[in-house]
Structure formats: C-alpha cells, structure tokens
Amino acid sequence: MKYVRGIRWWMVTLVTLGLIINYLARNTLSVAAPTMMSELQMSTKEYSYIVVAWQICYALMQPVAGFVLDVVGTKIGFGAFALAWSLVCAAAALATGWQSMAIFRGLLGMTEAAGIPGGVKAATEWFPAKERSVAIGWFNIGASIGALCAPPLVVWTILHGGWKMSFVVVGILGVAWFVLWSLFYKGPQEQKLLSPEERAYILDGKEPHEQERPKRESWTKIVGSMNFWSIAIPRFLSEPAWQTFNAWIPLYMATERHMNIKEIAMFAWLPFLAADIGCVLGGYMSPWFHKHLKVSLFTSRKLVMLVGSLSMIGPACVGFVDSPYVAIALLSVGGFAHQTLSGALYSITSDVFSKNQVATATGLTGMSGYLGATLFTLLFGVLVTQIGYGPLFMLLAAFDLVAVAVVFAIARQRRDVMPELQQAPA
C-alpha cells in the first residue's frame, strides 16, 4: 500500500480552500454593491438591511450548524453546507430588489455558518494537541485570503458579465470545491492513504477521551459550563473588530483620509494581508511559547491571545496620526492582531471541549461573537458620524483587552487531558 506522507496537512489544505470559497461568497456582495445598488435603485439604508440579514442568520445558525457537524460528521456535514452556500450564492443573481437579495443573503448566512465549526472539528480530528494551533492558523488564513481575492475577482466578472455574473462564478467555484471535498476528504479512521506511523503520531498526541466515543452532551450542558462562557464572552467582545475591518475600512479611507478609488484599491487589502500573517504566525507562537517559555500548551494559547490583544493598541491610535499611510499601517497591525487572537481562541476551544462537542461549542460561541458584531455594527453606524472613527477603534482595542482578561481568569483545562497540555516541557 502506498501512503501519502503528511496527509493531515493535505486535509487541512482542503479545509482552507473551502474557507476561501466561504469568504469569497460573503465578500462578493460588498464589492458588487455600488454597481448592484445603482442598477436596482437601492438606497444605503436598504443595503444595510441586506447586511444585517446575513449577520443575524449567520449568528443564529452557528450552534445549529455545529450540532449537525457533531451528529453527521465532518465530511458529510461540511460538504453539505458548502454545496448549499455555493448554490445560494449563485442564486443571488436572481435578486430583483433589496428584499429578495436580503432573503438570499440570509440563506447564505445560514449555510456559511458551518465554515469555522467545520474547520475546528477537522483540525481536532486530524492533529495532535501540540500541532492543533498551527493547523487552525493555516485554515483560518482562508478568511483573509477570501477577503483578499474578492475585489479583483468580482471586479473582473462585473466588467465582463455584470454584477449578477460575480455571484454565479463564486457559486461555481464552490461547487467545484465540493467535488474535491467529496472525493478526497476522509477522517483518520477511514483514510487508507494515512500511514501507520502518521496515524500513531496523531493518536499518541491526542487526549485520552478523544480516542474513545464518549456520549454526546446536550447544548444546555455545554452552555452551563464555565468553559463555555470563557470562550463565548471573549468571542462577543473580539468579533466586532474583524467585522468592522471588513465593512468599514474602505469607507474610512474615502471619508476620513480622502483617498481616491485607485488609492483604496492599492491599500485596502493590506490589513487582510497582515491578517494572513497573523493567522499563520499566531499558530506557530503557541508551540514556541510552550518550548521556550516552559509553559503548558494551554497557557501558551493564552499568551498568544495576549500578544494579539496588546497589538490592537495599534489601530486604537489611528485617530492620533495625520498620515493616511501611517493609518493604514496601524490598521494592518489590527488585522494581524485580530487573527492572531482569533486563532488562539479557536485553539483554546478545541482544548476545553472534546471532539464530540467542539463543533457545537464553536457554533454556540460563534453565535455569541456575531451577535456582538451585529450590535456593534448598529452602534458604529450611529456614532461614527457623531464622534468619528478614532474613539470607536479605541473601544475595539479595549474590548479585546477585556476578552483576554476573561480567558485568563476563567478558562480552565479539563481534568481528563493529556499531561502535555497541562504541564510545561521538561
């Protein structure tokens, strides 16, 4: 039998590609918005309803999607949701007004809600605890790459076929990924290309309970645990930063820094490039802290969150600088900061919940995060015209500092985990 060396990394690559398509689909609207709004005679207020429809449906569906993934498994669950979000994305080309587009975007939010829980679950299945933060860092990069790729792809399709074509093209890409996923993704137990040595490496690095089939716990038991709130509260506080960067940076550059369209095209992607670096570097920080600072892996995840939250001081200072280029640099620090913090928080989630709970828990905490983002979006839209961007970016930094304080204060490693997670290296 011929085995594929390091096949666990091929599996996380598949997940990363899926998340790139996921974020392409959600970012298609913002890039196509000017053309679409003009053609459909849509006001800014009506456009905001479309955005809120996606956010609310995404938030409410996260725990449902996570539960489905825990019940039916990663391959079937993630694949089914991906096929659904691809078809819904393509169907948005049928929209004739803001009401129908809001319906399509709401459906997209519901189906895309499985993206992150599916990725965390796949990383939990395929990677030993010491490598899990690295794997999560790599698949989490899909979010930033999707945001990076959306503008050129969508603009190209608009120029060659109109705004409707952009939704269709992204939908087709999603269906193509679904075919790849169906053909090549298998769990470690079913994957025949997994060598005995790599299988042993994965299993030896897992916590004892992860090698069994424990009884699935209810949502109420998960929500009732202190560890749930140690993740849910930080997600509620930290997610507004990422959603603010996605929705407001181009507008900030135009209205506050008076950049033209070409300048926005040249610089608006930089915070997302920095976010890519944060995804990957943040993943490698955890084992580095574990090895060189002689702390447990669990503590090392918290230290990575601390680095991310302290880095958020960068965007908090944008109101104090005159140069638009320095402001973009500070916002890039913010992109790095959030994805560093976010990846560490996903790793902590995989540490404090077992494999039969992790997708459900990720979904429930994700709902908390997007509800926080929705509330902050509504607040941002009202206050930005009254007090400006600077104080609101400072508030986001304060949120992240409180978030990491909550994790340090109440997140606790389970008693049934392997000693490597609890103890510092010898």
Side-chain angles (χ1 to χ4, degrees), residues 106-136:
L107 291 172
L108 184 70
M110 293 174 66
T111 51
E112 285 193 324
I116 296 298
V120 174
K121 187 171 179 64
T124 304
E125 291 176 347
W126 270 101
F127 287 83
K130 66 181 180 180
E131 284 186 346
R132 203 168 293 154
S133 66
V134 178
I136 289 174

Side-chain angles (χ1 to χ4, degrees), residues 167-358:
F167 290 96
V168 175
V169 169
V170 175
I172 291 172
L173 290 174
V175 172
W177 176 86
F178 166 75
V179 174
L180 289 175
W181 177 264
S182 300
L183 290 175
F184 296 110
Y185 186 86
K186 293 180 176 63
Q189 295 78 15
E190 297 82 27
Q191 182 55 263
K192 295 181 180 180
L193 299 178
L194 176 63
S195 68
E197 294 80 10
E198 187 173 3
R199 187 187 303 275
Y201 174 75
I202 294 170
L203 292 177
D204 288 347
K206 285 184 177 291
E207 302 151 26
H209 73 279
E210 289 184 336
Q211 302 182 37
E212 304 170 356
R213 290 187 176 270
K215 182 180 178 181
R216 184 173 289 106
E217 294 179 0
S218 66
W219 290 11
T220 54
K221 188 168 184 180
I222 292 175
V223 172
S225 68
M226 184 60 70
N227 270 334
F228 170 79
W229 294 105
S230 75
I231 306 297
I233 294 173
R235 286 296 305 274
F236 183 88
L237 293 168
S238 63
E239 191 61 38
W242 185 239
Q243 299 309 311
T244 298
F245 290 165
N246 277 279
W248 294 95
I249 283 180
L251 190 60
Y252 167 78
M253 294 168 66
T255 59
E256 291 289 307
R257 297 297 175 172
H258 309 294
M259 289 186 171
N260 58 40
I261 294 176
K262 290 184 179 180
E263 289 174 320
I264 291 173
M266 290 174 62
F267 296 106
W269 56 273
L270 287 174
F272 300 105
L273 175 63
D276 286 337
I277 298 172
C279 288
V280 178
L281 186 59
Y284 285 100
M285 280 184 192
S286 177
W288 191 90
F289 286 152
H290 173 61
K291 178 179 179 180
H292 294 283
L293 299 186
K294 305 299 182 182
V295 297
S296 69
L297 273 175
F298 190 63
T299 299
S300 75
R301 321 285 205 216
K302 296 180 179 181
L303 293 177
V304 176
M305 278 197 70
L306 180 61
V307 170
S309 66
L310 291 175
S311 298
M312 277 297 293
I313 295 173
C317 296
V318 294
F320 302 106
V321 299
D322 295 326
S323 169
Y325 307 110
V326 174
I328 288 297
L330 292 174
L331 291 174
S332 297
V333 172
F336 169 86
H338 175 79
Q339 291 299 76
T340 300
L341 182 152
S342 176
L345 195 53
Y346 287 135
S347 296
I348 292 172
T349 305
S350 71
D351 289 340
V352 301
F353 291 101
S354 63
K355 72 174 183 178
N356 67 312
Q357 302 171 325
V358 68

